[in-house]
Amino acid sequence: MSFDQLRDELTARKDQSLYRQRRMLESPQAPEVQVDGQNYLAFCSNDYLGLANHPDVIKALKEGADRYGVGGGASHLVNGHSQAHHELEEALAEFTGRPRALLFSTGYMANLGAVNALLDKRDAVFEDRINHASLLDAGLLSGARFQRYLHNDAQSLEQKLTRSEARRKLVVTDGVFSMDGDIAELPEICQTAKQHDAWVMVDDAHGFGCVGKGGRGCVEHFGLGQDDVQVLVGTLGKAFGTSGAFVAGSEELIETLVQHARTYIYTTSMPPAVAMATLTSLKILRDEEWRREKLAALIKQFRDGCEQLGLELMDSPTPIQPIMVGDSAEAMRMSAAIEAEGIFIGAIRPPTVPQGSARLRVTFSASHTEAQVTRLLDVLEKVSR
């Protein structure tokens, strides 16, 4: 059997301006990067605090490799749970104000593992319509009755919870929505869940480091705690600048994941050196408030400039600042025109976002400068005429 049908489907994606291509990054993550042999000013990284290439984090990684070698060597439950992993879990538990935290190799694995360890076909899961793909996949794969409520709409959630007679009910939402940049209305969502005896799970991948006191995320931002959000997920590959993920929560939750989360049990642990690097980045993230203050100033500068240019921004207070375009072909045209001016920004198209809502996803780092934001605005003015 040939792959002719697949070739035809790929051709169709190209014709619809939906084809995805990898680009070759040839430098560290930074505001100025080299991609495919060309130098660009980049506004498309999730390295929100500028820690991915921080010298202290690099130093800690090297020291970790000298001490522990490179690979984890085994799963956590066999012989791969190092002292570095354990120290990082304890530090993340303290950072989030939870009794315990558990490391996963990726955010995708953390979400799949948590939902599938907690739910089965007797249960129900309720998810925001624009949740990250890993959360949606987790809900679908769990076997629980899968329902999506309108984006950030507690009333829509209420209607679905009212009709449910499931054994267990889990409400799942992003903290900061990765393609829109807005923050979940957690107080209303948590109150609605509590009225229906449902757990709440928040994936705060894009909130940690950028939102809340000391970068403690959306739950802290709203003054909520473990009684409101029972399952808290964080990713280390964004504001933390390293790699991996974690779930934080009660003793009972973490032990349940240790016993039942297949994406934790059946995979090799992250390199211990990465855990050591993350301990260093966690301290910087928590202590250096100026990074969040600078991000806020850059975001304001950008939003004020876009308003003057008449560009349509989404309602986001976070480093994710999408410019709504609508048509996929037009988003690709604008992205290419911006790239021709020496600035690297990705065009986000369906199925990552709904049909008719293609956008330029502009993201900021504390490493950017005001002059670089001014240059971006000048280029946007030129290409949007």
Side-chain angles (χ1 to χ4, degrees), residues 91-143:
L92 289 168
E94 181 180 8
F95 176 67
T96 58
R98 311 258 159 160
R100 289 184 64 184
L102 191 71
L103 289 174
F104 285 78
S105 295
T106 68
Y108 218 112
M109 294 174 75
N111 285 332
L112 289 178
V115 174
N116 282 268
L118 294 173
L119 304 180
D120 62 29
K121 64 182 180 181
R122 297 169 291 177
D123 307 316
V125 58
F126 306 83
E127 301 216 13
D128 190 290
R129 290 194 66 84
I130 67 168
N131 271 353
H132 189 268
S134 61
L135 294 173
L136 299 176
D137 286 356
L140 288 167
L141 291 169
S142 69

